[in-house]
Amino acid sequence: MFTSPSSRSARLLASGAAAAAVSALTVSMLAMAPTVAAAPPIPAAPPAAGSTAEQFGGSSQALGENIAGQVSSSDPGPAVTSGDGSGPARYVALGDSYAAVGRIAPGAWSAGPVTCVRTDDAYPNVVARELGVGTFVNASCGGAVTDDLWAPDKGGVPAQFDALTEDTDLISLSIGGNDVGFGAVLVACAVRTNTAAPFLPVIDAVTGPVAEDFDTTTGCADVIDRQATAALAELDTRLNEVYAEIAHRSPDARVVTTGYLAAMPEDDATIASSPACEPLMAATRDERDKVRTFQNDLNDVVQAAAERNGATVVIPDEPGHSMCAPADTRRVDLLGVETGAAPVHPTTAGHAHVADRVLAALEG
């Protein structure tokens, strides 16, 4: 998933304890309010657009204004908005960038800290709009790991669990990819394999935040077979603690857990025929197979933990929509250039698909 930019505004550098206290107080006050009229309405879906170039319109000023508006007007806490009240009373979205980040273009970003990169086309926003929830609390944040559910992250974003209350009746959860080094796997298996030796120190410095706590210099196979495999085992246990805490804080909530969209296609022929996925061909065939197995293993761990803890689980990994598919059917994008998505993240179409699956699961 997505690692937040290293630069932080002064407003986002408050102490973790203070930020957590302010966030908890704010959410509690909103929960106790007799109406949700004080919260702004859930934003409408941003207009559909094509490539990154088309969306940005060549205007760096528009992007700058979008970022500046978030930094100056947003506190680091969750975004709280209101719907028409025809659906669940209080919906809280928890998770990493596969819940937070969609199209990264001017006009598409949601309220909240710029480091979280929440966007209005991300699946929790779609679900909130479609359900007509009373209050929608979006605590998801790009770069999140399970620890960030309990404690403020390094940029001062409050613990996501602080958004949960006893009267929360719907929760969505998308977490685990950063814990097991999905970004590190892609750096080791796609980025470093395409980098000449003299430039590797530069690449390693730039991709360090993406591969945090993982050593990508040991090679693709080692990152997957040793580092990520060990992290998967830890995640399996950690997720039991996540669900126990959710049950403690919001005992009556229905929890819907989402897995990860398929990034790597099932066959090498699709990769070889896709200009967008050319970097993946620099890895060996065995390494590409390892990436496929790894993404499936991650979803298996997410699904097993959800099922044994009584959560509804959605694994949106249907084939044919990987980052190597044609741009108009792509649900994850490798570079994001053709769809406006963040690199190796869901496209708008991908988030719409996850939202459809979540809504169908809620009806079931």
Side-chain angles (χ1 to χ4, degrees):
M1 326 353 241
F2 186 85
T3 301
S4 303
S6 59
S7 60
R8 310 282 185 175
S9 73
R11 291 177 182 271
L12 298 181
L13 289 178
S15 70
V22 171
S23 176
L25 178 60
T26 302
V27 172
S28 298
M29 290 175 65
L30 287 165
M32 293 185 293
T35 72
V36 295
I42 298 170
S51 70
T52 300
E54 290 170 333
Q55 292 180 51
F56 280 82
S59 172
S60 59
Q61 179 182 357
L63 177 61
E65 290 175 351
N66 186 271
I67 294 175
Q70 284 208 327
V71 171
S72 64
S73 64
S74 303
D75 67 39
V80 181
T81 53
S82 62
D84 62 20
S86 59
R90 182 181 175 87
Y91 165 35
V92 177
L94 307 173
D96 58 25
S97 56
Y98 268 54
V101 185
R103 186 164 67 249
I104 49 172
W109 285 6
S110 303
V114 68
T115 52
C116 287
V117 199
R118 298 178 190 136
T119 65
D120 290 334
D121 62 330
Y123 88 80
N125 300 66
V126 180
V127 169
R129 286 191 293 265
E130 290 295 319
L131 289 179
V133 299
T135 299
F136 171 44
V137 183
N138 189 355
S140 66
C141 189
V145 295
T146 51
D147 284 349
D148 297 329
L149 299 175
W150 277 274
D153 73 8
K154 295 175 182 177
V157 176
Q160 293 190 29
F161 278 155
D162 288 350
L164 298 181
T165 57
E166 287 189 2
D167 62 342
T168 298
D169 50 358
L170 176 63
I171 297 167
S172 63
L173 175 68
S174 305
I175 201 74
N178 293 316
D179 290 74
V180 301
F182 192 84
V185 168
L186 290 169
V187 169
C189 301
V191 178
R192 294 187 96 255
T193 52
N194 285 277
T195 304
F199 299 103
L200 284 174
V202 176
I203 289 298
D204 291 338
V206 171
T207 60
V210 178
E212 188 175 8
D213 298 328
F214 292 83
D215 183 2
T216 60
T217 67
T218 59
C220 174
D222 179 76
V223 170
I224 294 177
D225 291 342
R226 183 176 62 85
Q227 300 180 53
T229 297
L232 276 168
E234 294 177 10
L235 176 65
D236 190 54
T237 300
R238 185 64 162 164
L239 287 174
N240 288 332
E241 300 170 0
V242 168
Y243 288 110
E245 187 68 17
I246 289 174
H248 173 70
R249 296 192 184 218
S250 301
D252 298 323
R254 181 170 183 182
V255 181
V256 181
T257 298
T258 66
Y260 292 89
L261 292 152
M264 180 73 84
E266 294 185 323
D267 60 272
D268 278 356
T270 301
I271 298 175
S273 64
S274 170
C277 281
E278 184 177 354
L280 296 174
M281 293 306 293
T284 67
R285 183 173 184 176
D286 181 60
E287 288 171 337
R288 289 192 294 273
D289 285 340
K290 287 180 183 294
V291 176
R292 292 187 185 97
T293 300
F294 171 70
Q295 71 178 13
N296 293 335
D297 289 347
L298 171 57
N299 274 339
D300 287 346
V301 168
V302 169
Q303 181 167 7
E307 289 177 345
R308 69 174 174 261
N309 285 282
T312 300
V313 61
V314 168
I315 305 295
D317 60 352
E318 295 86 353
H321 302 277
S322 73
M323 57 191 181
C324 304
D328 59 348
T329 60
R330 203 176 294 164
R331 292 177 181 162
V332 178
D333 205 343
L334 179 61
L335 300 177
V337 174
E338 295 178 280
T339 63
V344 200
H345 276 77
T347 63
T348 297
H351 276 295
H353 173 69
V354 176
D356 285 345
R357 290 287 309 275
V358 169
L359 291 167
L362 289 171
E363 292 176 357

